[in-house]
Each structure stands twice: as structure tokens, then as C-alpha cells.
Amino acid sequence: MKEVMSLMDYRPTVKVLDATLRDGGLVNDFYFTDEFVRALYQTNIKAGVDYMEFGYKASKDMFDESKFGKWKFSNDDDIRAIVGENNTNLKIAVMADVGRCDYKNDIIDRSDSPIDLIRVATYVNTIPAAADMIEDAYKKGYEVSCNIMAISNSQESELKVALDILGKTSVEVFYIVDSFGSLYPEQIERLVDIYMEFAAKYGKKLGIHAHNNQQLAFANTIEAVGDGVDWLDATYASMGRGAGNCAMELLLGFLRNPKYQTYPAIQFVQNYMNKLKEDGVVWGYDLQYMMTGQLNQHPRTAIQFTKDKRTDYAEFYKEVVALD
């Protein structure tokens, strides 16, 4: 059980990052209207959110631009059309996925871009490539963080090797990523201990990106806060791949930091997120995501189950158990 002080106290080092466009974009192929994106940007400013992730820097050679909205590619000009010179306290982020981006060409010098933070996403087995991406972004003038995905499938020994390699790079933040929504708070606590060892050794910060397959994204996030993790990802109305993420409106209401305001988040959910659901965009906790989370499986089968509008949950359970 956490010390009450560690959960209730105001900690000025905490940073909140809005991943609605990026993780939420995986639900609707990044087809957000400019009105939605501008309203989200203004909401983040009003709510005191520290970073807004606009989407991916995906390779246009690998992904057909005609099949995705523009935030799959997050062109600098498209971001600038929303934020202008961004003379605010809100910083702009994008994600660069190892093996799925042309980072040497598509990520230009920071001095010519509205982007502040490059979030490198990697698996444990692609850490060397991630290290090269980190140094490229850092040399171009960006803040850099690194999301190590699917750690619930990684051996502790290989995770420690990965963190040691990353610690020697110019990355500023290591992210704990519960890609499958399979982790419990006790496991988060153990992972924070492992990450903290290398964060302390190399002078890095820690972050968490949680998924809600077992309705634990918020619980795991506040567990991490109590354990000393400073960078916290969230999305409005939990919008994200499959079961979604930690809800921004829950997180802002929890944090005892006077710069964060919950009311703008509630307004945005009311006016924009609920409209997305009314228009047929589907995300959030459901039995199929619970099953893949409990079995520590990638949610791709549950996502297909959802797309197919299946309701035979018991049959699906037999299918995914057979894959285990």
C-alpha cells in the first residue's frame, strides 16, 4: 500500500501528455476533423496539460496516405496549421515507431519544426535501432523519450540490458508501456523498481503508458505516480487502441497540482468525445479486451472481433485460450 503522502502530495516534476490523437487515431485511422484537433489543442492549453501528441511520423513509402488521416504522418505544416507558432506552455509531441518511419528525412531540424518532443517507440529486440533514432532526434534539437512496448512479454534480464543500452543514449525519459493491458499494480511497482535503477544510474526520468483491458489503466497510472514516475500518458474519454488508455479526466482530477484543471476536460468529452461515439467510433473496455489482457496477448484478435461486430464472447474465449 502506498504512503498517503506519495499519492496526495503536489509534485511539480509531474508531466501529463495527451495521446488522444495518436493512440485514439488507431481506432479511426486518424480521421479527425481540424475542428476536433483545434478544440483538443485549446482544451489541453486550458487544462494545463504539458504535452500534446499529434500522431505518428509514419513512412509514406510503407503506408498509403489515401487510407489514413493526416495524423498518421503528422506533417510539420499540418501541425503548424493548428498551433501556429504555439506561443503557449503546451509542448508538441509526435511518435516515431522503429521500422515504420523514415526518421532521417521526415523528422527535420527542431529549429524548422513546431514539434518539441520525439517519442521513439520500440520493442526490446529493436533497441539498437531505437538508440540510433534517439541520437538522430537529439542531434536535431528535440527532447526525446522512449516507449519500450510489450514489456509484459519481456524477460527481466533482457529488459535490464535494454534499459542499460538506452541509459547510455541521449534519451530523457524511459516509458513503461503496458501494451496488452495485462499488468496489475503490484507488477507496475516491481517494474518501476527495475526502471528506477537505470533512471537513477543515468539521470533519466520515468513515464507510464497504460491500456485499459482490465480496467486498470488509471489504477496502474496512479500506482506509478506513487512509486515516483513523473511522466503520465492519458487520453480523453480513454480513447485509444482497443480498450483505450488512462482517462485524462480521471487523471487531472486526481493530481494535486494547481496547474491542472478538470473542467475543460469534462467540456471536451461532452462536446467532442461523446459525439465520436455517437458517430460510430468504437473503443473502450469490453469482454474481448479483458480476455486478451488476462491472457497477456496482443489485442489484435479482440480488435478484429470488435470490427466484425461479433457478440459470441464465450466462443471467442475458447479461440484465444487455444492461442495461449
Side-chain angles (χ1 to χ4, degrees):
M1 182 67 71
K2 291 285 155 293
E3 293 276 347
V4 173
M5 181 63 72
S6 69
L7 292 177
M8 300 293 289
D9 196 19
Y10 159 60
R11 198 160 83 227
T13 52
V14 165
K15 306 289 183 186
V16 173
L17 184 142
D18 165 37
T20 306
L21 280 189
R22 201 272 309 164
D23 216 318
L26 295 168
V27 175
N28 68 347
D29 291 328
F30 303 90
Y31 286 112
F32 296 99
T33 66
D34 285 356
E35 177 196 355
F36 178 97
V37 178
R38 287 193 181 94
L40 179 58
Y41 171 67
Q42 292 297 329
T43 295
N44 282 322
I45 293 169
K46 293 174 185 175
V49 170
D50 299 281
Y51 289 83
M52 176 176 171
E53 188 177 41
F54 266 73
Y56 284 98
K57 277 284 189 185
S59 168
K60 294 169 188 173
D61 291 330
M62 293 182 66
F63 297 94
D64 186 346
E65 288 185 83
S66 68
K67 294 182 179 178
F68 297 95
K70 54 190 170 185
W71 306 114
K72 176 76 169 177
F73 307 97
S74 300
N75 293 328
D76 292 73
D77 288 344
D78 289 332
I79 296 174
R80 191 171 276 112
I82 300 295
V83 308
E85 294 304 312
N86 188 33
N87 295 316
T88 74
N89 292 325
L90 175 68
K91 292 187 175 183
I92 306 303
V94 296
M95 180 165 280
D97 212 338
V98 169
R100 298 177 182 175
C101 64
D102 182 10
Y103 61 96
K104 291 189 182 293
N105 295 309
D106 290 340
I107 298 177
I108 62 176
D109 286 347
R110 169 66 187 89
S111 58
D112 299 319
S113 172
I115 299 166
D116 300 287
L117 169 68
I118 302 297
R119 300 198 341 139
V120 174
T122 182
Y123 294 100
V124 166
N125 66 342
T126 56
I127 289 293
D132 188 67
M133 291 174 64
I134 288 165
E135 297 306 339
D136 181 79
Y138 180 77
K139 288 174 184 175
K140 289 173 178 173
Y142 294 95
E143 300 173 38
V144 192
S145 64
C146 185
N147 285 25
I148 308 176
M149 300 182 290
I151 56 170
S152 58
N153 273 354
S154 300
Q155 297 294 321
E156 186 175 308
S157 58
E158 62 185 7
L159 180 59
K160 287 183 175 181
V161 171
L163 289 168
D164 200 45
I165 294 170
L166 287 177
K168 296 169 185 174
T169 72
S170 303
V171 76
E172 297 169 58
V173 188
F174 301 144
Y175 259 88
I176 297 166
V177 183
D178 183 14
S179 300
F180 303 161
S182 65
L183 296 175
Y184 296 95
E186 294 83 358
Q187 293 170 292
I188 295 294
E189 182 179 28
R190 170 62 181 155
L191 283 165
V192 172
D193 285 344
I194 295 170
Y195 276 64
M196 196 69 79
E197 175 188 345
F198 293 91
K201 180 179 179 180
Y202 292 108
K204 311 297 185 181
K205 295 286 189 180
L206 295 186
I208 183 166
H209 180 89
H211 277 265
N212 207 36
N213 298 60
Q214 299 185 88
Q215 298 203 38
L216 288 171
F218 177 57
N220 284 339
T221 300
I222 64 174
E223 168 67 37
V225 173
D227 294 330
V229 172
D230 280 334
W231 286 56
L232 315 173
D233 283 13
T235 62
Y236 289 89
S238 297
M239 186 184 188
R241 186 199 64 192
N245 305 99
C246 176
M248 179 68 77
E249 55 276 16
L250 276 172
L251 183 60
L252 295 180
F254 165 78
L255 293 171
R256 270 54 176 186
N257 188 326
K259 76 176 178 179
Y260 298 127
Q261 304 296 322
T262 306
Y263 183 67
I266 293 170
Q267 280 187 307
F268 186 78
V269 171
Q270 172 186 297
N271 296 333
Y272 288 92
M273 302 309 296
N274 289 346
K275 178 68 163 56
L276 282 181
K277 288 205 165 186
E278 289 168 7
D279 290 343
V281 181
V282 179
W283 75 87
Y285 169 81
D286 208 338
L287 283 175
Q288 64 271 30
Y289 296 118
M290 178 204 76
M291 295 175 207
T292 58
Q294 288 183 341
L295 294 168
N296 192 22
Q297 293 180 5
H298 192 289
R300 61 175 64 90
T301 53
I303 291 169
Q304 191 59 51
F305 179 96
T306 307
K307 287 181 178 178
D308 293 341
K309 299 182 179 179
R310 290 175 58 182
T311 56
D312 55 334
Y313 298 102
E315 183 62 30
F316 179 72
Y317 183 72
K318 291 191 287 185
E319 293 170 11
V320 293
V321 167
L323 294 174
D324 210 37

